[in-house]
Amino acid sequence: MRHPNHRFVFTKLILWCGLLMCIDACGGSSGRGKRRDATLVNEREPTCRAPRRAVSSYAGTMCATPCSDDMGCPSGLACHELTGANGAVGAFCIEPMPTLCQPCDTHVDCNPDTPETNNQCIHLGAVGSFCGGHCEPANSECPLGFSCRTFETETPPVTVSQCMPDDALCSCSPLAISVGATTSCQLEGEAGACSGTRTCTADGLSECTAQEQAEEVCNGRDDDCDGLTDEGVQSPCGGCNTDCAFDIDVTVDQGIGTSSTPQRFDITTEQVFEGNPHIWIANSAENTVSRLNTKTGCEEARYAVCKDPSRTAVGVDGAGVVGCRGDGFVYKISVDSAVCVDSNNNGVIDTSADANGDCVIQPDEMVPNDECIVWKTQPITAGSPCARAAGIDAEGHIWVGMWNAKQLFQLHRDTGAVLTNHSINMSPYGLAIDREGIIWVASRDPNGVLLKVHPDTGVINSWTNPAGENYGLAVDPFNGVWVATGWATSGLARFDMITETWQTYTNGGEATRGVAVRLNTNEAGLVTGATVYASQYAGECTTNQYVTAIDAETGTLLPVVDIGSGMGPVGVAIDSDGYLWTVNQCANSASKIDAVTGELIGTYPVGNGPYTYSDMTGYALKTITTVSRRTSKRLTGWETGSTYWKSLTFDAEFPNDKTSLTVTFRTGESADVMESQEWSETYGPFTSAGTLPVPIERSGYILDVQFTLASQSTSVFPTLNGFTVEASQEP
């Protein structure tokens, strides 16, 4: 609501300030003034004839006559020293309160000729500020209708006594009208006060020009009068445009985002496997698979799967794949509840969890028809199907070896559908995939044969291990394939991919079974070497069992790792932190070992009859087959209306065709719901720059974008320089 036009009415100051004409002579004494140094603000020559000077008067101007003291001034005037524009100093009879009740904003407004008159600009609230007149409470010098009152000024904060009208109303004096005196005023509202001005004109004091408080819209003005302009309604790119290109530079460490709103963006880059600290262990004797947290050793979930599970593999997203010897089924199990499917439509994901927090999954903590088993498939049904080898390629697709059928099958990562199959005329016992995408298969029928398979065209060649026996196998970063020689030599054989020659190693002990390769890196993350580990267990649970260690580059035998008796380590693996793990068939457990010192960190229970010697942590996939990094960004759109995210383009460098990039995204209306939002389909892999825009075509206040950078080489890696998202505001 606008304020009424407050009129400040007071009795004409006939006796006290009624000298509305130029005064030729002064006589008498007011006794009210003191001689003070002063400055003449406006010298209005030639209105007045020298030696008189034009000064401010309530009526507008007056011609002030020289004086020597107050006694020489007419009643109502006081003698003050004034300094002219030319620097000349003289004492003149002037009105001490010429601006009384005049609108003002500063104390200077109230003392037009000299600040020494001490007239103060008094703030009276939203209606504005008005000039008082200096007075002494004990000896009131205020004109009729005014009283000497005490006020606290804000600038500077002092207590002053000023003549102010008794009825708190003022009108515009001739002087105020002539100078167009103004004061700041306000209109109060819910969000704040809208500011304006009031001005003295011939029609009197105007109403406050402040706007009515309104809802903030993007127009360059403070519509709701809260002191901020266009807050909450600007484009995320700044300004009032309804289209915005989020141009994100990911090569800088700080200030990610546009120059106008860098706080809107968040960047996190991590090694993918660091976010998935799990080991998947097949419990063959009970047809289940256990998922352990490798940081805590806790069994977080256990799933009922197919018959006689054995080999497991782990994707870059942490999902576990298990193949079964008893019926040839293959299962994929997600660790991300957003990927799990609420198949019974009860509004929750029914899945196994350690509900009582004892780090061991009890029977009642398993779930029939677990909804995190995202798919299961039987690639072949004829001839007693038996899945006895498993691995994951750089694109995330699953390769399984069918023992009796003597075939390799490639299964789609999302559906389990068969993509490719190759007849290999040998019974696959284990497989590993190198950084070129080549699949290496260890056969035990015929025993001791190592097979090289191209993923598109099939078998390339084969070589026989001189030890004559194969068990588990793994690939190192130096073009070597390591095969456990089982009972034949209780050692390892290394096949050189370049020279196509073999080298065997043994340090005695029991039969070697599972194999794993651990990369050694410096502080910069560069590979400086690798160590090969092989579990030794011949089937007798009462003897001491060991893990053999060999320098992958030099072939030097390293000290064995003693895990104690009664364990029966059939498989080994390396976790995301570089720790060595053994799967202990005799003890129904898994052990965590410091790979550098050989110290046993802990042993943790799993299900009955654990039997796994494959890439059960996904370490080989992420360090040998595919080196992956994930970069995630969060963008926020318009705070009013709805944001429609149109498309995405990126700027990336790909050193060769073995490096690639994929992208996925999700949207939501608030941060607290984002974790439950489903990611889009994965776009890519892209292997070159200049890719056409990726369609987003989703609405929501928040957009999460996730890039996965992958390489099939340890020496080169793709670089994501930045990306652009096109978006628009919807009503």
Side-chain angles (χ1 to χ4, degrees), residues 111 152 158 203 231 299 322 352 526 563 589-590 599 604 606 637 689:
N111 300 278
E152 296 289 335
V158 296
D203 296 327
E231 76 284 0
E299 185 181 20
V322 58
S352 175
L526 299 177
I563 65 170
S589 65
E599 176 188 0
Y604 312 98
V606 293

Side-chain angles (χ1 to χ4, degrees), residues 401-418:
M402 305 304 289
W403 172 269
N404 292 324
K406 298 184 179 182
Q407 293 186 63
L408 287 181
F409 286 83
Q410 184 189 38
L411 308 178
H412 193 281
R413 59 182 178 245
D414 297 327
T415 66
V418 174

Side-chain angles (χ1 to χ4, degrees), residues 124-135:
L124 297 181
V127 297
S129 300
F130 299 88
C131 293
H134 176 69
C135 60

Side-chain angles (χ1 to χ4, degrees), residues 158-294:
V158 296
T159 301
V160 298
S161 296
Q162 297 284 297
C163 293
M164 292 298 288
D166 296 331
D167 57 6
L169 298 175
C170 283
S171 65
C172 293
S173 68
L175 174 62
I177 294 172
S178 67
V179 299
T182 63
T183 182
S184 299
C185 57
Q186 294 179 324
L187 289 179
E188 299 289 346
E190 292 182 3
C194 298
S195 298
T197 58
R198 304 180 73 188
T199 305
C200 279
T201 69
D203 296 327
L205 185 61
S206 69
E207 294 183 352
C208 187
T209 60
Q211 67 188 45
E212 293 280 359
Q213 191 177 83
E215 182 179 354
E216 194 76 17
V217 295
C218 198
N219 55 14
R221 297 193 296 269
D222 180 14
D223 300 296
D224 58 5
C225 302
D226 63 352
L228 303 173
T229 300
D230 292 343
E231 76 284 0
V233 294
Q234 275 193 327
S235 162
C237 293
C240 298
N241 292 331
T242 56
D243 291 298
C244 177
F246 294 78
D247 192 11
I248 312 303
D249 180 1
V250 302
T251 63
V252 295
D253 293 328
Q254 296 179 347
I256 301 304
T258 64
S259 59
S260 61
T261 53
Q263 74 280 3
R264 288 184 175 271
F265 305 98
D266 177 53
I267 175 171
T268 58
T269 303
E270 61 181 24
Q271 289 281 355
V272 173
F273 58 82
E274 291 180 358
N276 298 300
H278 302 115
I279 183 170
W280 293 78
I281 299 173
N283 303 308
S284 298
E286 64 176 41
N287 301 332
T288 67
V289 61
S290 293
R291 190 187 85 223
L292 268 65
N293 186 307
T294 56

Side-chain angles (χ1 to χ4, degrees), residues 237 254 308 352 469 510 608:
C237 293
Q254 296 179 347
D308 196 9
S352 175
E469 185 174 8
E510 299 188 12
N608 294 324

